[in-house]
Amino acid sequence: MFTGTVSSLKNCLLLSAVGTLTPHKSRRLSIVFWKRKARLSKAVQNPLLQRFLTLSLFERKIIAALSRCVKKEDANTKAYCLRLIDFELDCLNPSDIIDKLKRLKEKTISVRIDGIEAYVPLLTDIRYDDKYKKVTITFNSILKNLYVEIKDYLNNR
């Protein structure tokens, strides 16, 4: 009887399947497995990604859309404008949208800065324009690299 977790069971089954394949297919499958495991272990080290996975669907859509806009060469104080229509959030009641955005602005993550643990908000400023169904978002420049890593993680899934 197996008493481990589901993911460890999947890994055991995958590794046992690798042994039954021809050498060429076995090597290719083990390389894919290794790359996937390396990507996941790197992603787990990102505190923003850890927090991202615990957010509600609305919040995840906002953070994912924001992370797809962020580029390494952007200015640290750049404001990003998102249209809610693009990710099917425009049908919500405006007061609900505002409440959800306020709750998202209050959420923080723990980041190490020069060896000191600091709690940084996910977003520093949110402005909602109901007429055009647009949200303008800014975030702390400390988190820019973390947002870029989330974009890479979401693109590789």
Side-chain angles (χ1 to χ4, degrees), residues 1-2 7 10 16 33 37 39-40 47 53 63 82 95 98-99 108 114 133-135 143 152-153:
M1 182 172 174
F2 184 78
S7 62
K10 286 180 184 177
S16 65
F33 177 70
K37 191 173 180 181
R39 189 175 71 235
L40 286 175
L53 297 174
I63 297 296
L82 308 174
S95 63
I98 292 169
D99 288 342
T108 61
D114 297 329
K133 299 288 185 184
K134 289 187 177 183
V135 178
L143 302 179
D152 295 339
Y153 173 78

Side-chain angles (χ1 to χ4, degrees), residues 2 10-11 18 22 35 42 47 58 67 85 111 115 125 128 136 142 144 155:
F2 184 78
K10 286 180 184 177
N11 292 341
V18 168
T22 62
K35 284 183 179 179
K42 182 181 179 189
F58 177 89
S67 68
I85 295 169
V111 179
D125 186 43
Y128 175 64
T136 305
I142 295 170
K144 186 159 96 175
N155 289 339

Side-chain angles (χ1 to χ4, degrees), residues 1-137:
M1 182 172 174
F2 184 78
T3 58
T5 64
V6 173
S7 62
S8 63
L9 177 61
K10 286 180 184 177
N11 292 341
C12 289
L13 293 174
L14 182 61
L15 290 175
S16 65
V18 168
T20 62
L21 297 174
T22 62
H24 176 67
K25 288 182 181 178
S26 173
R27 188 177 74 237
R28 210 167 86 205
L29 185 59
S30 63
I31 289 171
V32 169
F33 177 70
W34 178 79
K35 284 183 179 179
R36 179 176 170 233
K37 191 173 180 181
R39 189 175 71 235
L40 286 175
S41 67
K42 182 181 179 189
V44 170
Q45 295 172 357
N46 184 336
L48 184 57
L49 182 62
Q50 292 173 353
R51 183 68 170 171
F52 174 80
L53 297 174
T54 64
L55 298 174
S56 69
L57 180 61
F58 177 89
E59 294 166 338
R60 277 186 276 151
K61 283 185 174 185
I62 295 289
I63 297 296
L66 176 62
S67 68
R68 288 191 173 106
C69 296
V70 177
K71 296 179 181 137
K72 288 181 183 179
E73 49 284 339
D74 286 348
N76 286 339
T77 57
K78 183 175 179 179
Y80 298 90
C81 190
L82 308 174
R83 294 179 348 154
L84 295 181
I85 295 169
D86 293 342
F87 28 93
E88 301 170 1
L89 296 175
D90 59 318
C91 60
L92 297 172
N93 187 351
S95 63
D96 291 339
I97 292 172
I98 292 169
D99 288 342
K100 290 179 183 212
L101 289 172
K102 283 181 182 177
R103 276 188 255 132
L104 180 59
K105 185 179 175 185
E106 294 170 358
K107 299 199 177 189
T108 61
I109 60 169
S110 173
V111 179
R112 288 195 126 352
I113 304 169
D114 297 329
I116 300 171
E117 186 173 358
Y119 290 93
V120 180
L122 294 177
L123 306 171
T124 54
D125 186 43
I126 300 176
R127 295 184 185 170
Y128 175 64
D129 181 8
D130 188 48
K131 182 178 178 184
Y132 298 107
K133 299 288 185 184
K134 289 187 177 183
V135 178
T136 305
I137 298 174

